[in-house]
Amino acid sequence: MKRLFLATTVVSLGVTAVFALWVTPPRADQGFDAVRLLYLHAPTAWIAYLAFGVTALASLLWLFPRTRSATWDLLAGASAEVGVVFTGLTLVLGSLWGRPTWGTWWEWDARLTTTAILFFLYLGYLALRRTGTTADERGKRSAIAALIAFADVPVSYLSVTWWQTLHQQGTVFNERLSVKIDGSMAFTLVAAVVSFTLLYGYLVLERFELAQLEEGREARELERAIAERVRAEHVEVAPV
Amino acid sequence: MSFLRDALLVAGKDLRIERRSRVALQQIIPFGGVVVMLFAFALDSDRTLLHQAAPGLFWAAVLLAVLLAVGRSFAIEEANRARDGLRLSGLDGGSIFLGKAAAVAVELFLLEVIVGAAVVVLYDVSVRGAVVLLCAAVAATVGLAATGTVYGVLAGGLRARETLLPLLVLPAVTPVMLGATRSFQAALDGTPGDAWPWVQLLTAFAVLAVAAGTVAFGPLLEEA
Amino acid sequence: MSHNWGFVTAGYSITTAALGGYFVWIRLRTRHLRRTLRDENRD
């Protein structure tokens, strides 16, 4: 089942790459062939938002007593880590696209700035998760941190509409809800979003299973340490 | 009403400890002064540049001091397991939060006055638009103290909390840095009208931070 | 280069390297942990 998932993801990424690199036309107003970066930049940004949304949702489910389960905590962590990878990629790809079209690697524009903040907020979240405390304590603290950090996601998303900035408005979901591109470009963008969403799902699944393994090993180590301690105390107690 | 009285009680406790230990007075405020001096070295004591950058440098110094003030605010709870005492005191989590944040805010105000005076003298700034400056400073300080206090308890008691706190706090308070710098700039440039949208942003941030902290502090203080 | 293919190549390479590297890291670590757990079970 997982194999099939992976195969589908790889095939759809491959098809997207072919369309993005060879089928779609270059655009003079978007840096000629540099416009091909759109098919990576926009989907990675969308996945970053999705990933942090999943983290926030899982955190809420953990905080709500009726649905509290270790699964949500681990899912939140897995999704945030994948999200950080995608946010980092979004920034790098945007920078690579900005250089030929805007003439600069970085601009202190609202969208770029809020995305960079997002990256650091979730790096902090991941650091908070690794501080080695009990699973419950980690779940509670990281869930609250995730909800606070998520406040930046809508700000970042809407920043291009709120402030008139250098960054262009949404290609698909803009104010007039009119798709600004057509034909093969629109198809490629949709294909890219679909295949990156599949990739996101697959990575989160793998990362979640890894997190379960890590958690299991920690629990075993704790058990063994307690067992050793008990044995040692028996030895000490025996002569008395 | 007892909610606010409890908050005052906690704030009084923290400020009393600071008054007696003098850590804020003898370490955090001099630290702010050193930072102000370092910026002058970094910009090669170019008066015009320093003059232009003064609002940003001032708030950068305050932001760094926030980390120390918050770290200190929770260090006093770690000693002698005071955190347990606070938890068992029966005070509402929200009022403990308000108290601790208020104490941090008072310390920050003191620091801002002294560091601000240093900036005026050393960076050759002429003060204009005092009302705007005051409103912006109040809103920014409340926002900084509240955010810092939330993250202070979030990182409290963890290993590596000293290094974790700056990573958590600094990205979260970037809106304050932006708003406070812009409104100070507008006031000092003699265009206070441009400052009000930023003061509104600062106020909104402060209200949200206080609300979030009041709700989240109780559960965070409890042991899971 | 006038069509900026250099930027495109860099972007696609970095994306492939980052996501591929992340995927391989997860896989390797998972396998390592599975093996350790199996060895511990045998004890």
Side-chain angles (χ1 to χ4, degrees), chain B residues 37-85:
Chain B
M37 205 170 70
L38 274 178
F39 285 146
F41 293 157
L43 298 180
D44 205 17
S45 50
D46 181 332
R47 281 263 170 151
T48 44
L49 204 58
L50 276 176
H51 179 85
Q52 277 170 6
L57 298 180
F58 169 75
W59 283 106
V62 172
L63 229 59
L64 294 175
V66 168
L67 299 175
L68 297 189
V70 170
R72 171 72 188 153
S73 169
F74 286 90
I76 58 178
E77 304 299 348
E78 296 301 327
N80 304 321
R81 310 197 48 155
R83 195 184 165 107
D84 291 341

Side-chain angles (χ1 to χ4, degrees), chain A residues 214-229:
Chain A
E214 282 169 339
E215 198 81 339
R217 195 185 61 162
E218 252 166 47
R220 287 169 68 95
E221 272 170 6
L222 191 68
E223 252 168 52
R224 196 184 312 148
I226 291 170
E228 268 168 26
R229 182 73 178 271

Side-chain angles (χ1 to χ4, degrees), chain B residues 138-148 173 176 202 205-207 209-210:
Chain B
V138 170
T141 307
V142 171
L144 287 175
T147 317
V173 294
V176 177
L202 291 172
F205 186 93
V207 169
V210 169

Side-chain angles (χ1 to χ4, degrees), chain A residues 20-21 31-34 36-37 40 81-82 86 89 92-93 96 99-100 105 196 199 202 206-207 210 213-214 217 220 224, chain C residues 2-5 7-12 14-16 18-19 22-23 25-27 29-34 36-37 40-41:
Chain A
L21 288 173
F32 293 101
D33 283 304
R36 301 183 193 286
L37 289 168
L40 294 184
E81 193 177 285
V82 178
F86 275 93
L89 268 177
V92 172
L93 290 166
L96 278 170
R99 179 71 201 170
W105 294 107
F196 272 101
L199 179 65
Y202 185 77
E206 288 272 1
R207 187 63 187 86
L210 175 58
L213 277 176
E214 282 169 339
R217 195 185 61 162
R220 287 169 68 95
R224 196 184 312 148
Chain C
S2 67
H3 274 245
N4 298 316
W5 272 104
F7 292 101
V8 178
T9 316
Y12 279 75
I14 289 170
T15 308
T16 314
L19 293 175
Y22 182 54
F23 171 72
W25 173 80
I26 295 178
R27 269 298 177 84
R29 190 157 160 72
T30 306
R31 211 164 63 186
H32 169 77
L33 277 181
R34 284 237 167 87
T36 334
L37 281 176
E40 278 173 6
N41 278 340

Side-chain angles (χ1 to χ4, degrees), chain A residues 117 120-121 123-125 127-128 130-134 136-137 140-141 144-145 148-149, chain B residues 83 150-151 153-156 158-159 164 167-168 171-172 174 216 219-220 222-224:
Chain A
I117 293 171
F120 285 111
L121 280 172
L123 273 187
Y125 169 82
L128 177 67
R130 293 218 182 89
T131 44
T133 173
T134 60
D136 274 347
E137 193 66 29
K140 182 183 68 186
R141 291 181 191 226
I144 292 175
I148 298 176
Chain B
R83 195 184 165 107
V150 176
Y151 281 114
V153 72
L154 203 61
L158 296 178
R159 86 181 138 79
L164 186 62
L167 178 61
L168 292 175
T174 39
L220 282 170
E222 294 295 323
E223 219 145 66

